[in-house]
Amino acid sequence: MEVKSQARKHSWAEPYKMKMVELLKMTTHEERVNAIREAGYNTFLLRSRDVYIDLLTDSGTSAMSDHQWAGMMMGDESYAGSENFYHLEKTVQECYGYKYVIPTHQGRGAENIISKIMIQPGDIIPGNMYFTTTRLHQELAGGTFEDVIIDEAHDSKNLHPFKGNIDLNKLDALIKKYGAKKIPYVSVATAVNMAGGQPISIANLKAVRALTEKHGIKIIHDMTRVAENAWFVKQRETGYENKSVTEIVKEICSLTDGATMSAKKDALVNIGGFMAMNDKSLYEEASNMVVVYEGLHTYGGLAGRDMEAMSIGIRESLSDDHIRARIGQVEYLGHKMMAAGIPIVQPIGGHGIFVDAKEFLPHISQNKFPAQTLAAEIYIDSGVRSMERGIVSAGRNKETGEHYFPELELVRLTIPRRVYTQAHMDVVSESVEEVFLNRKNIKGLNLNFEPKYLRFFQARFEPLH
Ligand code: PM9
């Protein structure tokens, strides 16, 4: 008889063991002060050799399994019709339920093509909070993103269990204001990144589906972290406690018309993504467009071996035991930091701990970049690399050129999957605590270089005195 892994209460301990390790360099305080100065106080511009624990992102940073590495040796590197593509196609169809699949080099490759095909200049794209690359592609295609996430998502202390939910009144008001013809699709993300990895409930998604169907509006799913969302549904949504993550993921996907995927997150690969859809004509357009920007529709910018590792990673990512340990580790770090009085986004999300920099550094106004400053300070303290998710990431309004001032001014400590230990998490928490104790001495930053697109990647700063 199959024993449900939920039946017994046990630790979140990892369902794997290590057989290869990567040695890390330990740096001195002086080396780190120099490194962050050279990086213009932007953690994206640090060299990874100067980083001890790298919590910049969970994107492409997972440890692949022995099965995935074995899959890499099975790469069919034919230009067209690679066996690995057919394996990927079958995996996406079986695991996610979408009919058509086109690989892309990563998530934004898919976003580019979906935006170019579906958006006309002047269109409105409602979504549950912006994501940097997603919104940029929508804007480059001539569209305007409109945030329709519930208000609770913008409040780091609000304990709503589904802060990724869409506010139906906001969505309905947009449809009334602009008309359904101006709304090509609603952009629905699972485990909403910029809100702190917060899930959307199935009940909410069903309600969004009912409303959009009435108006003939499609739903495009950013399914980058759908498995993590499914785990929260299982924990928090009535009726789903005995369903598997695999079943919940499939139900989520069934409520949408198509998807873009950065497989570098949930799907446990270092590179890769895809778009998927149920509509044949959309597929035909996308499979033509992909040859312009990515490569033939049976490889989309990937090597055969990358597609093989992705197919295997997708199945591993849907195992309940995997997700329990993955989110268990994130929660371990979050609870430790909360016990030390560090202000973080609650409830704890799926892929990292998001420190509330406005509350951490109340004496630094948002135009002096508190989250950017805090990320640099944590790096100087311990060599832990994190990422700003606040005013720098939010960028500027495309019409007025003014900074957006988002409610959430956060530092993201993003946990790569299957990479770090509990002891590493202890070091991270201890370092943030140390910075917290000395927070009154911290001053802000001045922005002295800003690139045109996605400025958070390459902007440079100097310290204020
Ligand atoms: N997310 C992240 O670190 C990597 C780039 S931004 C620092 O969170 C969502 C929800 C994402 C995402 C990337 C992409 C783009 C789309 N949607 O990075 O192009 O979190 O594969 O995916 C990053 P790619």
Side-chain angles (χ1 to χ4, degrees), residues 391-448:
I391 182 169
V392 184
S393 297
R396 292 179 186 273
N397 182 303
K398 67 171 180 160
E399 310 292 326
T400 65
E402 294 299 316
H403 289 302
Y404 284 117
F405 284 85
E407 271 308 309
L408 295 174
E409 176 72 22
L410 308 173
V411 170
R412 188 182 71 176
L413 296 153
T414 340
I415 318 290
R417 296 165 184 79
R418 310 193 292 205
V419 172
Y420 290 112
T421 65
Q422 187 162 333
H424 285 121
M425 296 303 110
D426 291 342
V427 172
V428 173
S429 181
E430 286 156 13
S431 174
V432 180
E433 284 169 47
E434 187 64 28
V435 177
F436 193 56
L437 288 176
N438 295 312
R439 64 192 181 281
K440 294 216 167 75
N441 302 326
I442 300 175
K443 304 194 168 69
L445 292 168
N446 188 34
L447 175 65
N448 59 8

Side-chain angles (χ1 to χ4, degrees), residues 105 155 226 230 287 309 313 385:
H105 78 281
D155 172 1
V226 65
S287 66
R385 170 155 69 171

